[in-house]
Amino acid sequence: MKKITSKGLSPYRKNEIISYGIAILGFAVISVLRSLGMVSSSLQGQLVPICAYVIMAVSLNLVVGISGELSLGHAGFMSVGAYTGIVVSGIMGTMGAADPVRFFAAVIAGALAAGVAGFLIGIPVLRLRGDYLAIVTLAFGEIIKNIMNIVYAGIDENGFHISTKSDYGLSAEGRMLLNGPMGATQVDRISTFFYGFILVMVTLFVVQNILNSRQGRAIMACRDNRIASESIGLNVMKNKLMAFTVSSALAGMGGVLFGLNYSTLLPIKFNFNTSILILVFVVLGGLGNIWGSMIAAIVLTVLPEALRQFADYRMLVYAVVLIVVMIATYNPAIRSRVSAFAEKYLRRKKPDAAPAEGGAD
Amino acid sequence: MKFKFKFNPNKKRYREDLVQGPIYDTYENYDESKPSIDYAVLPEREKETAPILETRGVGIDFGGLTAVDEFTITVGPTEIAGIIGPNGAGKTTIFNLLTKVYQPTRGTFFFDGQDTRGLNTTKMSELGVARTFQNIRLFDKLTVEENVKAAMHREINYGLLSGLIHGPKYRRQEKEAHEKALQLLSIFDMQDMANYRAGSLPYGAQRRLEIVRALATEPKLLLLDEPAAGMNPSETAELMNNIRKIRDTFRIAIILIEHDMSLVMNVCEDIAVLNFGRVIAKGTPKEIQSNPAVIEAYLGKKKEAK
Ligand SMILES: Nc1ncnc2c1ncn2[C@@H]1O[C@H](COP(=O)(O)OP(=O)(O)OP(=O)(O)O)[C@@H](O)[C@H]1O
Ligand SMILES: [Mg+2]
């Protein structure tokens, strides 16, 4: 047999290294700054939400960028994870479990619950295409939020109670976990920046490993050309459902991290606006570009706070920044100029190397 | 001469409820004494073997338009057959029927001895039908190698968990698939392009990659829709050799649609000529070249064009 070798690097390696690098570097720098007391209290409070939003953005990218389906209900799965996590953490808290055990049990339960929700919702939704799919995911996101609005749960000496009525017989010593439209109350804030970092790494690991596997290739093939995918024997529906389910489970994980960071959490927090916010991270970061989603999530979470000094003009500046970035990244003229610049100054030494850049773009 | 081709009536793999329209020639009233060879296009050497494909009065209507009608051919297991005909004759539609992109309105076809009624595109690929497209349909954003690997279900079948954690099964299968993909690409001398994005390849290379991707599914029947379109004469000559090479190494049947007559007449062992959705002539390249109906169809078309 003739020995055959191919030129160039695996196109995924570079992107993988960049995203893990951003996560590790970010964690290391913030940790050092924190130990030196150089992190402002407002940024301090944002560290966990930033991690949660990074997880949300990367997981949504799996559906929107990699599977190519516009989903507008990602916050719904986040809320399933958040409330499941709060309940599990609350129950384990009354049993006296240690915080790390509580936290990771909550994470697993939240991811499972959201994954199941994603699977069940995905079955009908993924039969639709394009705008129809977007609209129905939006509706499901709202439905989940509204269900969370009427769920009451608590734990007392008689055990765990869950109901859709506010009067569900929780004894006076009992501990209320979910209180309908008032959301979760008296939540133990056990999320930490370190846990957030771990979950970000888990998310990156899952999404990037899938990308570079049989399943990821199938998902992207179905995105790039449906008819050709079927002609080589791929089951388009199955692959899209797989991406949707994994993405939902990861969103649930992000939800747990987010939920266990606040002492109270209203269901309204997970409405349409949050879904759109996450979608903005993905679109700005670049469809299919994992580290782009990370950067966008970080910058756009920090930015509104950083702009607080502009008071009234804050959201105006935020909007202008959004539009400018949007134009800069999606205007072909500007893009080609940027890449020509990069070609000239960064790749001067290897003019023959032009391998593809993985799932990016 | 006895034609050995038996159907197993118990082997009903299709879904009855999906069958559309009246069946022109069902296997229930299949008459063994009536040899299919009558309406077959088969090379002499394969007259005794069971055909890989046998279509029976296949037809499809789009609204009021009958795009294909009474399409009945037989293809041997290692035959290179050709379908020619003027633009809009229904050639691509036939490929879409054979891969079940469309379900036939009338008739049915048997692939590898199995009735294909009710089967879908994915299932046809599993059975062993692979194709290329007239308008190239690659996975543009995947690399050349990934395009090929995406089609390798027989080599790569690890589960989701293996794909997630990149375990030993993942590493072994991916390594094997990588080598096999490069081998397949080397048929067209494309192994050096493995890491380029498919959408960035030149036109001719994209056409060749489509063939490699189709071969990666390990088909029994390969359908090539205008493989030489947009190629220069030297590329076409090379393609011609490669089509033969593919048939000889993989021992599969190939049906090709082509407008390039030199390619068709050189490569194909048998040819069916289509006009307005109907087969107007069948036979060897020699027979076709001297067939008056064919000459008329082509000359008629030329007059219209000018
Ligand atoms: N999905 C469809 N809906 C309606 N009409 C169709 C459809 N597909 C094909 N047709 C019609 O069927 C006829 C045959 O088309 P087909 O694409 O099979 O021709 P062809 O022989 O491949 O032509 P060409 O040589 O130009 O590729 C044409 O009149 C075409 O307009
Ligand atoms: Mg055609």
Side-chain angles (χ1 to χ4, degrees):
Chain A
M1 223 195 293
K2 202 167 61 170
K3 173 87 181 134
I4 294 161
T5 51
S6 70
K7 282 182 194 158
L9 285 159
S10 161
Y12 292 106
R13 278 287 163 243
K14 198 179 99 193
N15 287 324
E16 277 182 17
I17 291 166
I18 294 175
S19 14
Y20 287 129
I22 291 171
I24 293 169
L25 202 72
F27 177 72
V29 168
I30 294 289
S31 299
V32 169
L33 289 181
R34 274 220 296 197
S35 65
L36 298 175
M38 286 168 68
V39 177
S40 72
S41 66
S42 86
L43 181 61
Q44 191 79 263
Q46 280 190 295
L47 292 176
V48 171
I50 286 172
C51 292
Y53 282 128
V54 166
I55 293 168
M56 296 309 294
V58 171
S59 61
L60 184 62
N61 208 337
L62 184 57
V63 170
V64 178
I66 292 155
S67 172
E69 300 293 352
L70 185 55
S71 166
L72 299 179
H74 211 47
F77 302 111
M78 188 184 189
S79 76
V80 171
Y83 289 116
T84 308
I86 286 169
V87 167
V88 169
S89 157
I91 293 171
M92 293 185 75
T94 58
M95 299 185 326
D99 278 359
V101 179
R102 277 173 77 183
F103 182 79
F104 285 103
V107 164
I108 291 167
L112 278 178
V116 169
F119 179 77
L120 294 177
I121 291 173
I123 291 171
V125 165
L126 291 169
R127 292 183 188 281
L128 303 167
R129 294 189 202 174
D131 300 347
Y132 298 101
L133 186 139
I135 290 163
V136 176
T137 51
L138 186 159
F140 270 108
E142 292 297 295
I143 289 171
I144 292 176
K145 188 197 78 190
N146 285 321
I147 291 174
M148 291 306 165
N149 245 330
I150 55 159
V151 174
Y152 295 84
I155 187 164
D156 59 16
E157 63 279 4
N158 300 323
F160 178 63
H161 303 265
I162 187 157
S163 167
T164 56
K165 296 195 180 63
S166 56
D167 171 29
Y168 57 99
L170 189 72
S171 68
E173 300 89 67
R175 184 185 154 131
M176 192 187 288
L177 295 169
L178 300 182
N179 190 16
M182 308 304 292
T185 48
Q186 310 165 32
V187 179
D188 291 331
R189 302 177 54 187
I190 55 175
S191 287
T192 66
F193 181 46
F194 178 61
Y195 293 161
F197 166 69
I198 290 176
L199 295 188
V200 167
M201 291 299 279
V202 169
T203 305
L204 290 178
F205 181 82
V206 167
V207 172
Q208 299 191 133
N209 276 10
I210 284 193
L211 263 182
N212 192 10
S213 74
R214 170 174 88 94
Q215 286 80 12
R217 277 195 298 270
I219 290 167
M220 291 186 284
C222 296
R223 169 199 66 191
D224 280 2
N225 203 307
R226 201 181 176 103
I227 292 177
S229 314
E230 284 175 351
S231 88
I232 58 165
L234 297 177
N235 183 334
V236 175
M237 172 74 188
K238 190 181 121 195
N239 283 300
K240 293 209 180 282
L241 188 58
M242 180 163 59
F244 200 73
T245 306
V246 172
S247 163
S248 305
L250 292 173
M253 212 169 76
V256 177
L257 178 70
F258 191 85
L260 294 176
N261 187 49
Y262 300 99
S263 51
T264 55
L265 191 63
L266 295 172
I268 194 108
K269 179 73 206 156
F270 303 105
N271 63 6
F272 177 60
N273 289 341
T274 307
S275 292
I276 291 294
L277 181 69
I278 301 162
L279 186 65
V280 168
F281 299 156
V282 175
V283 173
L284 269 189
L287 295 179
N289 183 346
I290 302 300
W291 57 264
S293 292
M294 298 175 71
I295 304 253
I298 295 168
V299 171
L300 292 185
T301 310
V302 173
L303 197 61
E305 283 302 311
L307 291 174
R308 213 167 261 290
Q309 50 184 308
F310 297 101
D312 294 348
Y313 302 105
R314 188 161 73 105
M315 290 323 279
L316 184 66
V317 176
Y318 181 78
V320 169
V321 170
L322 266 186
I323 291 168
V324 168
V325 174
M326 201 75 89
I327 291 171
T329 44
Y330 280 86
N331 185 319
I334 296 176
R335 259 177 92 147
S336 68
R337 216 165 276 179
V338 170
S339 59
F341 178 85
E343 206 69 50
K344 197 168 171 193
Y345 293 98
L346 304 176
R347 297 213 186 142
R348 203 163 22 185
K349 292 201 181 85
K350 33 176 186 170
D352 60 325
E357 309 262 289
D361 208 339
Chain B
M1 187 182 71
K2 181 90 177 77
F3 175 60
K4 296 188 244 64
F5 185 44
K6 280 226 168 69
F7 299 114
N8 179 359
N10 301 323
K11 206 166 143 192
K12 278 194 190 175
R13 294 223 190 125
Y14 58 91
R15 279 176 51 194
E16 219 113 20
D17 55 312
L18 283 180
V19 177
Q20 299 166 359
I23 303 300
Y24 167 83
D25 190 358
T26 62
Y27 76 76
E28 282 86 2
N29 52 38
Y30 174 69
D31 184 2
E32 265 195 64
S33 62
K34 183 179 115 194
S36 333
I37 223 83
D38 260 8
Y39 44 77
V41 194
L42 272 181
E44 202 57 45
R45 66 191 156 78
E46 297 200 313
K47 291 246 154 66
E48 292 293 330
T49 33
I52 187 74
L53 175 74
E54 191 194 350
T55 71
R56 299 184 179 189
V58 170
I60 185 166
D61 300 339
F62 295 114
L65 175 90
T66 299
V68 173
D69 204 17
E70 298 273 330
F71 183 70
T72 303
I73 62 159
T74 309
V75 177
T78 61
E79 178 180 357
I80 302 181
I83 298 179
I84 61 171
N87 291 108
K91 305 180 295 294
T92 300
T93 305
I94 286 172
F95 276 12
N96 285 334
L97 287 166
L98 292 179
T99 51
K100 295 284 181 163
V101 173
Y102 305 136
Q103 296 285 344
T105 316
R106 293 171 295 281
T108 183
F109 65 95
F110 293 77
F111 181 76
D112 209 8
Q114 187 182 338
D115 192 340
T116 58
R117 268 176 286 175
L119 301 183
N120 61 17
T121 307
T122 308
K123 186 72 198 179
M124 290 313 294
S125 162
E126 268 171 48
L127 286 182
V129 182
R131 73 177 290 187
T132 66
F133 296 87
Q134 184 172 357
N135 310 311
I136 299 170
R137 289 176 176 274
L138 286 170
F139 309 131
D140 284 345
K141 288 182 185 152
L142 299 189
T143 65
V144 169
E145 182 182 335
E146 286 172 321
N147 267 269
V148 181
K149 279 202 220 162
M152 291 183 161
H153 309 293
R154 290 181 227 276
E155 284 77 16
I156 322 181
N157 58 10
Y158 53 77
L160 180 58
L161 195 66
S162 230
L164 272 184
I165 60 170
H166 287 195
K169 193 170 177 189
Y170 165 93
R171 265 173 283 151
R172 180 168 45 78
Q173 291 193 350
E174 286 285 331
K175 188 165 170 285
E176 283 168 14
H178 169 72
E179 278 158 18
K180 170 128 190 246
L182 292 184
Q183 287 287 344
L184 285 172
L185 284 168
S186 73
I187 296 174
F188 291 110
D189 204 21
M190 289 175 72
Q191 64 274 25
D192 287 347
M193 301 178 180
N195 280 340
Y196 288 78
R197 198 178 286 206
S200 72
L201 294 183
Y203 191 77
Q206 294 201 2
R207 284 221 170 277
R208 290 188 283 268
L209 177 55
E210 270 210 323
I211 300 178
V212 175
R213 182 181 66 187
L215 283 174
T217 64
E218 298 188 1
K220 294 174 184 152
L221 171 65
L222 177 62
L223 309 174
L224 303 176
D225 199 343
E226 306 201 9
M231 287 189 180
N232 61 38
S234 78
E235 281 180 312
T236 306
E238 202 187 320
L239 178 74
M240 214 142 57
N241 288 330
N242 279 322
I243 289 174
R244 280 200 212 96
K245 194 170 108 190
I246 286 167
R247 195 271 310 271
D248 295 342
T249 32
F250 296 94
R251 310 291 300 160
I252 58 174
I254 297 174
I255 305 181
L256 61 95
I257 293 173
E258 218 4 284
H259 286 295
D260 185 325
M261 285 305 143
S262 75
L263 186 139
V264 176
M265 297 299 165
N266 270 308
V267 175
C268 298
E269 294 163 275
D270 280 300
I271 295 168
V273 187
L274 218 62
N275 200 14
F276 297 113
R278 284 175 176 271
V279 177
I280 56 165
K282 279 188 267 195
T284 62
K286 258 211 187 84
E287 289 162 6
I288 293 297
Q289 272 164 325
S290 55
N291 186 312
V294 178
I295 294 166
E296 197 199 302
Y298 272 87
L299 289 181
K301 185 199 139 211
K302 264 190 192 146
K303 259 184 225 147
E304 270 170 42
K306 290 283 143 70

